[in-house]
Amino acid sequence: MAEAHAHAHGHDHGAHAHHPTGWRRWAYSTNHKDIGTMYIVLAFVASLVGVAFSMMLRAELAYPGMQLIHDQQFYNVLVTAHGLIMVFFVVMPSLIGGFGNWFVPLMIGTPDMAFPRMNNISFWLTLVGLCLVATSTLVGTGAGTGWTVYPPLSNAVFHPGMAVDFAILSLHVAGAASILGAINFITTIFNMRAPGMTFHRMPLFVWAILVTAFLLLLALPVLAGALTMLLTDRNFGTSFFAPQGGGDPIFWQHLFWFFGHPEVYIMIIPAFGIISQVVSTFSKKPVFGYLGMAYAMVAIGFIGFVVWAHHMFTVGFNVETRAYFVIAHFHYVLSVAAVFAIFTGMYYWLPKMCGRMYDERLGQWQFWITFVGVNVLFFPQHFLGLAGMPRRIADYPDAYAGWNLVSSVGAAITLVGTLLFIYLLYRTLTAGERAPANPWGEGATTLEWTVESPAPFHTHEILPNITTQPAE
Amino acid sequence: MTNRARNIRITAAASVAVVVGMTGLVAVSEPLYRLFCKVTGYGGTPRMAEKASGATGEAMFTVRFDANVARGLSWGFRAAEPQMSVRVGEETLAYYEAKNTSDLPLVGTATFNVQPDRAAPYFNKIQCFCFTEQVLAPGETVRMPVTFFVDPEITKDVHARDIGTITLSYTFFKSDDQSKARVAQSEFKPESKTYSN
Ligand code: HEM
Ligand SMILES: [Cu+2]
């Protein structure tokens, strides 16, 4: 693809020199790369909070009894905030808002997203959402409902204060932001591809974002609707989910999982996309079975919706069965798979985003420490689950003591790995070697490697023509 | 308008239509869900069955009956017997009793829950008083039957077959809609009755 690009960045920037500088550059940004960067920074900040909360939880759980956290409601508040922050303000903004904004336009060969101003609004709404969820932990006794916000626990009887309302509003706002973002991605990918960039030549990461955007479009309105009903139940006397008014808490669970199921795929499909890109770059061949992978992602997205039905007919909600097993299981999916994909994306694209190379040896250390850490952290939780340890408890019978300590030691190792990553980022930004346009060699065939590093403010202003490329 | 600009509008409009469509679906989901529950008798029950299949097994379970009243409803509510020993697959009848201890007619609604969760899918109810409104006049007592059986399939589930005790727990809430209480007040009859559906 090397000969296909080129002229995209060679032109005179004079005509575009009017773009704002200083704080205005960021506040009013309509530039997909700046917005992508802001999403990554937001996710980074949120992850500090989310990880800090999880470390407090693991520290409490290291030994039976109550040491650090002296009341169960506060424990629940931390669990809830950790879950919400990790899902809505770390994994989604980094994979979709961050890498998606940065690389979808670069990869399909277009100067920017279809609706740059809307893109700006999406970002700021996401930030408002993050502030609202942070607020919810601080008002009254906080929202101790779990990230699934199940009534009756989330209703006004059990959580009379404003905390749950803040949490609900937070999800509303973050959801609206994601819907706008999804419309933007779909419109961009459908209409703004460079000449010759057919669907079947589109990089797998772009496919992944496209499928994810569709899932968001279908799933988030359902969450928003359900949250609205919960909000009116709490504040305006309706009883959609309140049994004393003829409502049914189980109805919430159906609505929630109509969203929750695809949500798992929303977090994992972009991760697939990144891994596919990296594998094809370093194996120097397009992902074996490119089309197979593309359609697999479409199929997974589709199935993500269909299997919602299994919740519909197995109520009694077995999800809670062998409770800690569930914790182990979804952390393997979310924390090990999605977060490792985020690290992978950072390593892969950091040279393009900041124009500097990271230290490979530090990177290897970071990988292995974190890898050992998360496995020591989450694997023993399977045993705890099988032994019957429930979720969302700050104290537990002595029988569960051993593996809980192991798990908490794993959390500490993971923390070391995470801190090392922060150090690596710092080193890269301040002292990294200058990166060439394409540091990864012949395997890196996608268009982002055809522009210089760091990618200039404007790229692909003259559309790259890739009609000469054979379809992969 | 260029071709591309037009296509962009069409795609964006179609995306917005999807969002509107899904929102519409949620908006009507509540009546649809109610209809679904009415038709299938589902309404949050782990399982509703017509009758037990007839197949019984060797395994015995202790079924505990738990009764709770939420704040705001002045009723006494208890199980006629605190627990029973039942054979798997066998149709069993149990009674709960509620008494209005206030001097006003009151409407209550019950929800229930089966513990442990992993037993819930096997706990089949043939008849129960959940989710239907109960109107009790002052001092009135009502006996409410629950017919249930434990599905013999439970013995094949490695995660559930070791459960010795299943707890069926009911909670009565004061209904938000008390209009039926006012009707009841006008036709107050003090004798005790047995509720059946
Ligand atoms: C640093 C690594 C992490 C640690 C040490 C950690 C630890 C924990 C702990 C201790 C709990 C509470 C378990 C309980 O008592 O019920 C929890 C729950 C949860 N975590 Fe994590 N976690 C980590 C990373 C993540 C990531 C990356 C995600 C990404 C989405 C995530 C999502 C969740 C969710 C959704 C819950 C459930 C919240 C709820 O029950 O409502 N976690 N985590
Ligand atoms: Cu599921």
Side-chain angles (χ1 to χ4, degrees), chain A residues 226-288:
Chain A
L227 287 169
T228 307
M229 293 184 219
L230 189 57
L231 206 59
T232 62
D233 269 17
R234 289 177 51 81
N235 297 298
F236 304 111
T238 58
S239 36
F240 291 103
F241 312 118
Q244 60 273 38
D248 181 359
I250 306 289
F251 178 46
W252 167 268
Q253 302 187 10
H254 290 308
L255 289 178
F256 182 85
W257 287 108
F258 190 91
F259 149 82
H261 231 291
E263 177 64 19
V264 174
Y265 297 93
I266 286 166
M267 290 189 275
I268 212 67
I269 289 176
F272 280 3
I274 293 175
I275 302 299
S276 306
Q277 269 349 111
V278 170
V279 168
S280 80
T281 297
F282 293 99
S283 65
K284 300 196 170 51
K285 43 175 104 86
V287 170
F288 58 94

Side-chain angles (χ1 to χ4, degrees), chain A residues 68-309:
Chain A
L68 271 173
I69 298 171
H70 291 278
D71 93 75
Q72 178 64 40
Q73 169 68 8
F74 183 54
Y75 183 91
N76 288 348
V77 170
L78 290 180
V79 170
T80 307
H82 162 74
L84 291 178
I85 289 176
M86 286 300 194
V87 170
F88 289 94
F89 301 103
V90 176
V91 174
M92 290 172 71
S94 53
L95 288 173
I96 306 169
F99 295 137
N101 268 309
W102 250 99
F103 294 104
V104 164
L106 277 176
M107 286 177 145
I108 63 174
T110 181
D112 211 313
M113 298 286 284
F115 305 110
R117 271 164 213 272
M118 193 163 90
N119 210 5
N120 172 288
I121 294 170
S122 297
F123 170 77
W124 291 110
L125 282 180
T126 311
L127 182 65
V128 171
L130 179 58
C131 295
L132 285 169
V133 79
T135 311
S136 93
T137 62
L138 300 175
V139 294
T141 54
T145 58
W147 81 292
T148 50
V149 210
Y150 278 5
L153 186 56
S154 59
N155 70 20
V157 177
F158 292 96
H159 275 89
M162 294 281 286
V164 172
D165 300 304
F166 274 108
I168 291 173
L169 284 179
S170 158
L171 297 188
H172 256 299
V173 170
S178 289
I179 290 177
L180 295 181
I183 294 175
N184 220 339
F185 279 119
I186 291 172
T187 312
T188 307
I189 295 170
F190 268 77
N191 301 294
M192 317 238 321
R193 284 165 289 126
M197 178 60 75
T198 59
F199 272 103
H200 283 179
R201 282 183 185 144
M202 225 162 62
L204 285 169
F205 179 68
V206 181
W207 267 104
I209 292 290
L210 183 62
V211 172
T212 305
F214 271 111
L215 292 181
L216 286 168
L217 224 50
L218 293 168
L220 283 173
V222 178
L223 178 67
L227 287 169
T228 307
M229 293 184 219
L230 189 57
L231 206 59
T232 62
D233 269 17
R234 289 177 51 81
N235 297 298
F236 304 111
T238 58
S239 36
F240 291 103
F241 312 118
Q244 60 273 38
D248 181 359
I250 306 289
F251 178 46
W252 167 268
Q253 302 187 10
H254 290 308
L255 289 178
F256 182 85
W257 287 108
F258 190 91
F259 149 82
H261 231 291
E263 177 64 19
V264 174
Y265 297 93
I266 286 166
M267 290 189 275
I268 212 67
I269 289 176
F272 280 3
I274 293 175
I275 302 299
S276 306
Q277 269 349 111
V278 170
V279 168
S280 80
T281 297
F282 293 99
S283 65
K284 300 196 170 51
K285 43 175 104 86
V287 170
F288 58 94
Y290 162 88
L291 271 187
M293 190 65 190
Y295 285 109
M297 289 194 284
V298 175
I300 289 168
F302 183 72
I303 290 166
F305 261 101
V306 177
V307 295
W308 161 73

Side-chain angles (χ1 to χ4, degrees), chain A residues 378-397:
Chain A
F378 295 121
F379 204 80
Q381 296 181 358
H382 288 111
F383 308 140
L384 291 171
L386 291 177
M389 176 158 156
R391 305 167 60 164
R392 297 175 190 161
I393 51 166
D395 187 10
Y396 50 82

Side-chain angles (χ1 to χ4, degrees), chain A residues 30 39 73 172 195 277 333 369 425 440 444:
Chain A
T30 55
Y39 267 112
Q73 169 68 8
H172 256 299
Q277 269 349 111
V333 176
I369 292 173
L425 266 184
W440 306 133

Side-chain angles (χ1 to χ4, degrees), chain A residues 425-437:
Chain A
L425 266 184
Y426 168 77
R427 280 295 301 267
T428 309
L429 294 176
T430 55
E433 272 174 52
R434 298 279 161 195

